[in-house]
Amino acid sequence: MKSFKKECVVMLLAGGQGSRLGTLTQKIAKPSVPFGGKYRIIDFPLSNCVNSGLDTIGVLTQYQPLKLNSYIGDGKSWDLDRMNGGIQILPPYQRVGDSEWYSGTANAIYQNMNFIDQYDPDFVLVLSGDHIYKMDYSLMIKYHKEKNADCTISVIDVPLNEASRFGILSSDDDGRITNFEEKPKKPKSTKASMGIYVFTWNKLKQYLESDDKNPDSSKDFGKDVMPLMLKSGEKMYSYEFKGYWKDVGTIDSLWQANMDLLGNDGFNLSGDGVIYSRHAERPPQYISGNSSVKNSIVSEGAVIFGSVENSVIFSGVRIGEGAKIKDSVIMADVEIKDNSIINNSIIDEEVIIGPNIKIGYPRGESLEITVIPRESIINNMQEV
């Protein structure tokens, strides 16, 4: 069936291993990691697309794709099961004469230029699948058109002591980018790239083809394509974002992003822009008369007989009598038996923690986050 023209095609990079998340990404890709009581990280960019009126999305997968592919399915949960456009999983594939894994972010897009071309788009929006935020991409695309730009990069102000973790750029008073450095040791500004790019497709295609022929390139947008476009004098602009945005690429940042959902000063899931997810039907949560729940998220199907404070409790979690959970993220279908104490921890899915066990330390004693891997069974009297 012939595809109809789309003004903008979205390419969502979701193939990264996420090694800094340790055991949480041992069996699943980083965008599949659970978040916020009922979501997975990829729900956020996918929902942002739908809320921005973008309905043609290619999801580029590579590392441990089984769970992610199964979760996305036909895209119905995000209203992306379309006859023309919709969502399409794009793994690496064998071609006549050669085949290779995606060797970088730019190479992943290069290998899927045919997918983009079938929609004859004017623009391509490139997203990362591992960030937590709400954003109306249509406003960024409008800005890109107003500037008649070749490339627009969304930026957020970060503390100077964290700037060396990001692509850092400088721009003039009109927003035109004058300098771009990927993870500089001595940052010249605090404007960090959010990994959200709008390209004019004909221009990007030209640079992807050139980059593929360069044997010295690492095939990466931040390290190769952006610097080359800037050096060549292309019209590159920054688009400043003022809302909540979190790169959840580490255990500490993932824990903090979950904690940011609690209270009034962090990230508001209930505000504008619904976050859609694929979520199994569960019975209502149950909180017993002898239990205590303070400043916490408790999802459907959870059963609580103990106490919970400053924590995120996912679906199907069961917390026994006398158990105490504080400053922790308890993922789906975890069972914590009577009188166990969990502090400052992330407990992955389907873990069983026996009675009278202590996991983690109070925030006043240690800031280190304890992580219990998926499907673990901890049954002996012990401290972890």
Side-chain angles (χ1 to χ4, degrees):
M1 186 181 73
K2 182 180 178 180
S3 299
F4 295 96
K5 178 178 175 62
K6 298 284 184 177
E7 183 186 40
C8 183
V9 169
V10 181
M11 299 297 276
L12 177 51
L13 299 164
Q17 179 178 356
S19 57
R20 291 178 298 164
L21 287 175
T23 61
L24 295 178
T25 52
Q26 210 165 43
K27 297 181 179 178
I28 61 174
K30 185 161 57 169
S32 300
V33 170
F35 177 81
K38 63 177 289 185
Y39 306 101
R40 294 187 184 272
I41 295 172
I42 199 169
D43 288 328
F44 291 80
L46 285 181
S47 297
N48 289 339
C49 286
V50 174
N51 294 333
S52 303
L54 300 171
D55 62 9
T56 305
I57 303 169
V59 180
L60 298 108
T61 63
Q62 182 160 273
Y63 173 77
Q64 295 281 17
L66 183 61
K67 186 81 172 182
L68 185 60
N69 294 352
S70 174
Y71 182 70
I72 293 173
D74 63 359
K76 186 176 182 180
S77 298
W78 301 269
D79 192 26
L80 288 169
D81 53 334
R82 309 292 178 90
M83 290 293 289
N84 183 45
I87 197 165
Q88 181 77 45
I89 304 293
L90 301 172
Y93 61 93
Q94 186 170 14
R95 293 159 296 179
V96 175
D98 70 275
S99 63
E100 59 178 324
W101 295 105
Y102 297 147
S103 55
T105 53
N107 178 260
I109 306 298
Y110 171 80
Q111 290 199 40
N112 288 284
M113 291 199 305
N114 288 342
F115 169 79
I116 300 172
D117 271 336
Q118 67 181 322
Y119 296 104
D120 187 25
D122 299 316
F123 310 108
V124 170
L125 172 65
V126 178
L127 303 174
S128 297
D130 52 2
H131 298 154
I132 301 296
Y133 63 109
K134 292 182 180 179
M135 183 175 179
D136 186 345
Y137 302 133
S138 69
L139 300 178
M140 183 177 173
I141 295 168
K142 180 183 177 186
Y143 174 87
H144 179 87
K145 290 191 283 188
E146 289 172 349
K147 294 295 185 183
N148 193 28
D150 298 309
C151 170
T152 299
I153 302 174
S154 184
V155 299
I156 192 166
D157 205 36
V158 298
L160 183 60
N161 62 354
E162 296 182 15
S164 59
R165 295 199 295 119
F166 300 95
I168 295 296
L169 55 86
S170 302
S171 53
D172 63 19
D173 292 342
D174 190 41
R176 185 154 182 171
I177 297 172
T178 56
N179 188 67
F180 183 94
E181 291 181 283
E182 184 69 10
K183 300 179 180 177
K185 291 182 179 178
K186 296 181 178 179
K188 295 178 181 176
S189 87
T190 56
K191 288 184 177 178
S193 168
M194 298 166 61
I196 302 170
Y197 316 124
V198 178
F199 292 97
T200 297
W201 173 229
N202 288 337
K203 186 66 70 173
L204 174 61
K205 193 173 178 179
Q206 171 189 331
Y207 276 89
L208 291 177
E209 289 172 341
S210 172
D211 183 66
D212 184 65
K213 294 173 183 173
N214 180 3
D216 298 324
S217 171
S218 58
K219 318 300 183 191
D220 183 83
F221 277 112
K223 295 176 182 174
D224 305 292
V225 175
M226 300 301 186
L228 182 59
M229 290 185 74
L230 191 61
K231 185 179 179 181
S232 302
E234 305 296 355
K235 291 176 288 187
M236 302 177 70
Y237 283 83
S238 61
Y239 177 79
E240 294 200 23
F241 179 70
K242 299 293 186 182
Y244 180 94
W245 177 84
K246 181 76 81 174
D247 178 346
V248 288
T250 65
I251 293 294
D252 283 352
S253 62
L254 179 66
W255 178 89
Q256 185 60 58
N258 276 280
M259 295 299 112
D260 288 345
L261 300 175
L262 310 177
N264 298 320
D265 301 327
F267 183 40
N268 185 3
L269 284 172
S270 301
D272 293 337
V274 174
I275 301 300
Y276 302 94
S277 69
R278 185 174 180 179
H279 195 60
E281 285 295 325
R282 301 273 190 162
Q285 59 181 250
Y286 174 74
I287 300 172
S288 77
N290 296 326
S291 63
S292 169
V293 177
K294 296 179 182 176
N295 193 39
S296 297
I297 288 174
V298 180
S299 198
E300 294 174 334
V303 176
I304 299 176
F305 291 94
S307 70
V308 176
E309 184 174 354
N310 296 332
S311 295
V312 176
I313 309 298
F314 280 67
S315 304
V317 170
R318 183 179 179 88
I319 299 173
E321 289 186 4
K324 297 179 180 178
I325 316 299
K326 188 173 182 182
D327 300 322
S328 295
V329 178
I330 313 297
M331 295 184 179
D333 299 314
V334 168
E335 183 174 3
I336 300 169
K337 297 192 176 179
D338 296 353
N339 302 312
S340 283
I341 298 175
I342 315 293
N343 276 298
N344 208 26
S345 298
I346 297 176
I347 312 297
D348 203 349
E349 295 176 315
E350 300 180 43
V351 168
I352 297 174
I353 297 173
N356 305 304
I357 290 174
K358 290 183 179 179
I359 293 178
Y361 296 93
R363 298 288 289 171
E365 297 179 15
S366 172
L367 295 180
E368 184 176 350
I369 310 298
T370 301
V371 178
I372 303 299
R374 179 186 177 90
E375 299 176 353
S376 299
I377 299 175
I378 301 174
N379 244 336
N380 298 319
M381 178 83 73
Q382 58 183 294
E383 291 189 4
V384 179

